[in-house]
Amino acid sequence: MITPTQSTTQTNAPVQGASKSQAASVASDFDTFLLLMTTQAQNQDPLEPMDSSEYASQLAQFSMVEQQVQTNEALSGLVLSLGGVKLEELANWIGMDVKTTAAFHFDGEPVTLSAQAAATADGAVMVIRDSNGTEIERVSVPVTQTDFVWAGTASDGSPLPAGSYTATLESYEGDELLSAQPVAAYNQVVEAQVGEDSVLLTLESGQVVPVGMVTAVRAGA
């Protein structure tokens, strides 16, 4: 069963910062080493050329310096990706309720769902599916409402088990389906970690979402 409610105010999610790190000292040594080797090769005595074993040794040193520079650059990139996120900032996400269009967790308590029907729609239907994608309920809702309370019951009114569910709002103009958009709901954050490009939040529903998907945040219950 779904009941319309008044719209709620959204709060922007925290924005993560970034920091920079450089390996200027090693890179400078590398450039100096390259210049010295080039100068030495250009000015060697043609009648007494550089010993091949000595030259091979210097090439090996050149290779080691080059590898050290590349390693420092790789480490600098890693620091850049992690440096903007402090552990305490990650910890601040834990226990917070965030609004996303990911699957939401139902534990027996009513869930507020948020979506906006298409502008030209004259009818709208909220479709609820379980974690397997099986449709369990279809309810007509007012096109002018944006927030709805889902009681967590099946079409026959029987209570549904706790678990992960998704909702979709279908907009109609007459019998024509205009759109089917994912519906947003609040989920509690149980884990936060640094991903490749952003902070990743693990939700109570089991979904893992980047912070870019969060449209609102509030203190957890």
Side-chain angles (χ1 to χ4, degrees):
M1 181 177 182
I2 295 176
T3 306
T5 68
Q6 296 297 322
S7 300
T8 57
T9 302
Q10 296 183 346
T11 305
N12 291 333
V15 178
Q16 306 299 322
S19 63
K20 296 184 179 181
S21 177
Q22 298 181 347
S25 178
V26 176
S28 176
D29 291 343
F30 170 73
D31 292 338
T32 301
F33 188 86
L34 179 61
L35 177 61
L36 289 174
M37 278 205 62
T38 303
T39 302
Q40 183 179 18
Q42 291 176 341
N43 294 279
Q44 64 178 321
D45 187 348
L47 300 178
E48 296 182 6
M50 184 188 304
D51 183 75
S52 59
S53 60
E54 181 182 354
Y55 190 70
S57 176
Q58 292 191 8
L59 284 177
Q61 294 178 45
F62 177 89
S63 177
M64 291 176 61
V65 173
E66 183 181 23
Q67 289 178 13
Q68 186 177 2
V69 171
Q70 292 175 349
T71 299
N72 269 306
E73 289 176 348
L75 289 174
S76 296
L78 181 60
V79 170
L80 281 174
S81 67
L82 297 177
V85 181
K86 299 179 181 178
L87 290 180
E88 59 266 26
E89 293 175 345
L90 292 178
N92 288 338
W93 285 103
I94 307 302
M96 299 297 290
D97 288 341
V98 296
K99 180 182 273 189
T100 72
T101 56
F104 57 89
H105 180 71
F106 172 68
D107 59 5
E109 296 294 325
V111 178
T112 299
L113 306 174
S114 302
Q116 176 67 62
T120 59
D122 54 24
V125 175
M126 188 73 71
V127 183
I128 308 296
R129 293 181 173 83
D130 62 18
S131 58
N132 297 319
T134 302
E135 185 178 305
I136 57 177
E137 187 177 19
R138 293 179 65 89
V139 182
S140 294
V141 295
V143 296
T144 56
Q145 292 291 332
T146 57
D147 289 340
F148 312 88
V149 174
W150 179 58
T153 56
S155 299
D156 60 2
S158 61
L160 292 167
S164 180
Y165 294 85
T166 58
T168 304
L169 183 65
E170 296 180 349
S171 298
Y172 291 88
E173 186 173 10
D175 294 331
E176 180 186 359
L177 176 63
L178 299 177
S179 64
Q181 64 184 91
V183 174
Y186 277 100
N187 275 270
Q188 189 171 81
V189 178
V190 298
E191 182 183 1
Q193 57 183 303
V194 178
E196 183 176 349
D197 300 315
S198 69
V199 172
L200 301 178
L201 307 177
T202 301
L203 308 179
E204 192 176 10
S205 63
Q207 298 287 301
V208 179
V209 300
V211 294
M213 283 186 62
V214 175
T215 58
V217 61
R218 68 186 184 190

